[in-house]
Amino acid sequence: MNETKPDTLQAILTAAMEEFLEKGFQAASLRNIVKQAGVTTGAFYGYFASKEALFEALVGEQYDYFMNCFCHAQQEFAALPAENQPKELSTISGSCMHEMLLYAYAHLKEFKLILCHSAGTRFAGLIDEMTEIELKATHDYLDVLKSLGRPAPPIDEHLEHILVTGMFNAYFELIIHEMPLPKAENYLKEMRDFYTAGWMKIMGQ
């Protein structure tokens, strides 16, 4: 039986997943991927223009879904009336982070690639990108508190960055170490309680 095009594509993607998980994007070899897939180099380039395009095909959809979910939660919170934001501070973001956790566990290999093996690609900046979005949202929330007559004391920008980056690194540790999902869900809840209480303290609320 002749190999069909869907079979060829799947063979390439399967071989690429194994190669990238083992060696990372930068050290991965297209020659090895083609060999393991049992296809010709010409067949490979019939589907992908480069190693970058291949990596994109493996994780691009998952990365974009993850970031869209995160951004939507930020927008949903910002759209609340100012007087409702303090009492909803952890509700929307907590629900979003839980949804994102479930999604990552449903696509564990893809997120292991993003989090551990994506150096040299656009995906390596995931935590930095999320941190910038979170910092902007934090500053917007500080403006809301000021408008409500509940201004926060000045917060050092370097401390802000350290705290937000630390929060996301802690979150992704759950996925990187593949903790059993029930335990990861419980840890996430406790982490959210911890960081919410800490931010409330720093903000003088």
Side-chain angles (χ1 to χ4, degrees):
M1 177 180 287
N2 292 333
E3 187 176 50
T4 64
K5 287 187 177 181
D7 290 337
T8 301
L9 175 59
Q10 188 55 54
I12 293 170
L13 292 173
T14 299
M17 177 66 78
E18 294 174 0
E19 179 80 2
F20 287 135
L21 282 172
E22 179 183 350
K23 299 177 181 177
F25 171 77
Q26 291 177 317
S29 164
L30 279 182
R31 180 178 296 177
N32 286 344
I33 292 171
V34 168
K35 181 180 178 181
Q36 290 301 315
V39 302
T40 65
T41 302
F44 171 84
Y45 284 111
Y47 288 99
F48 303 104
S50 63
K51 186 166 70 169
E52 290 85 352
L54 176 57
F55 199 89
E56 177 84 31
L58 288 172
V59 303
E61 178 182 344
Q62 289 75 23
Y63 184 95
D64 291 343
Y65 179 94
F66 201 82
M67 287 303 303
N68 287 338
C69 181
F70 181 66
C71 291
H72 178 74
Q74 301 285 1
Q75 293 161 2
E76 185 180 353
F77 179 77
L80 292 172
E83 61 273 14
N84 291 350
Q85 289 191 22
K87 63 183 178 182
E88 298 290 342
L89 182 60
S90 65
T91 304
I92 294 175
S93 61
S95 176
C96 166
M97 298 302 277
H98 182 247
E99 178 185 342
M100 290 160 63
L101 182 71
L102 294 179
Y103 183 80
Y105 267 69
H107 302 85
L108 201 53
K109 284 187 176 181
E110 288 83 359
F111 278 91
K112 291 293 286 288
L113 283 184
I114 292 169
L115 295 170
C116 304
H117 305 287
S118 63
T121 75
R122 73 179 179 96
F123 308 104
L126 175 63
I127 291 179
D128 290 339
E129 189 175 351
M130 293 179 71
T131 295
E132 289 305 312
I133 293 169
E134 182 73 16
L135 286 172
K136 181 183 183 306
T138 300
H139 297 160
D140 291 343
Y141 181 63
L142 292 175
D143 289 339
V144 167
L145 289 177
K146 186 176 181 180
S147 74
L148 294 172
R150 299 166 51 179
I155 303 175
D156 183 88
E157 64 179 14
H158 298 295
L159 176 61
E160 249 188 338
H161 193 276
I162 289 169
L163 291 174
V164 172
T165 303
M167 178 180 70
F168 288 131
N169 276 303
Y171 176 76
F172 287 122
E173 284 289 297
L174 304 175
I175 300 165
I176 291 170
H177 294 293
E178 299 182 35
M179 294 182 180
L181 182 56
K183 182 177 286 189
E185 289 178 296
N186 183 58
Y187 283 175
L188 175 59
K189 180 181 181 303
E190 294 185 348
M191 285 163 51
R192 290 296 307 172
D193 291 344
F194 175 83
Y195 279 103
T196 299
W199 278 111
M200 295 289 282
K201 177 70 174 178
I202 289 174
M203 292 178 178
Q205 304 301 308

